[in-house]
Amino acid sequence: MSLERKFSADKKQLTVVADEVFDFGKVQDFRVAFSTDIEDVEEVTIDLHKTAYMDSSALGMLLNMQKLLSAKVSTFKITNTRPQVLKILQIARFDKKFEIS
């Protein structure tokens, strides 16, 4: 898997660190990253500190993740966004669905 996963000590928070390019080529890895070993997870954070490029399929993956996990996970965050990626997220109005920083 090319995406890094980190769990908090109590396994209630999952952080997925995206690569420099977050696009359709990551769809399978991303699905595995947010859907395995998450029985206790209450918060999901997508860390974009490495991400310089993201396309519309990445936006779709984020929405799909939220839709699939919303019954179980209460908080979705997108963190460490670079300015060009933050602009994409703002244009797509993701600030209405995710906590973005």
Side-chain angles (χ1 to χ4, degrees), residues 6-19:
K6 302 176 189 175
F7 287 95
S8 60
D10 62 3
K11 301 274 189 188
K12 292 192 183 294
Q13 181 182 9
L14 167 63
T15 300
V16 178
V17 181
D19 292 335

Side-chain angles (χ1 to χ4, degrees), residues 7-74:
F7 287 95
S8 60
D10 62 3
K11 301 274 189 188
K12 292 192 183 294
Q13 181 182 9
L14 167 63
T15 300
V16 178
V17 181
D19 292 335
E20 186 175 341
V21 175
F22 189 20
D23 63 5
F24 186 75
K26 303 290 189 290
V27 70
Q28 191 61 32
D29 287 343
F30 188 68
R31 181 178 293 271
V32 169
F34 75 75
S35 63
T36 56
D37 303 324
I38 61 161
E39 294 77 24
D40 299 325
V41 171
E42 297 173 359
E43 179 180 307
V44 175
T45 300
I46 307 303
D47 185 336
L48 298 179
H49 78 271
K50 294 179 184 178
T51 306
Y53 173 79
M54 129 187 269
D55 68 5
S56 61
S57 63
L59 297 175
M61 287 186 273
L62 290 168
L63 289 174
N64 191 43
M65 173 199 67
Q66 185 185 47
K67 181 180 175 184
L68 291 171
L69 299 180
S70 62
K72 150 180 202 9
V73 174
S74 58

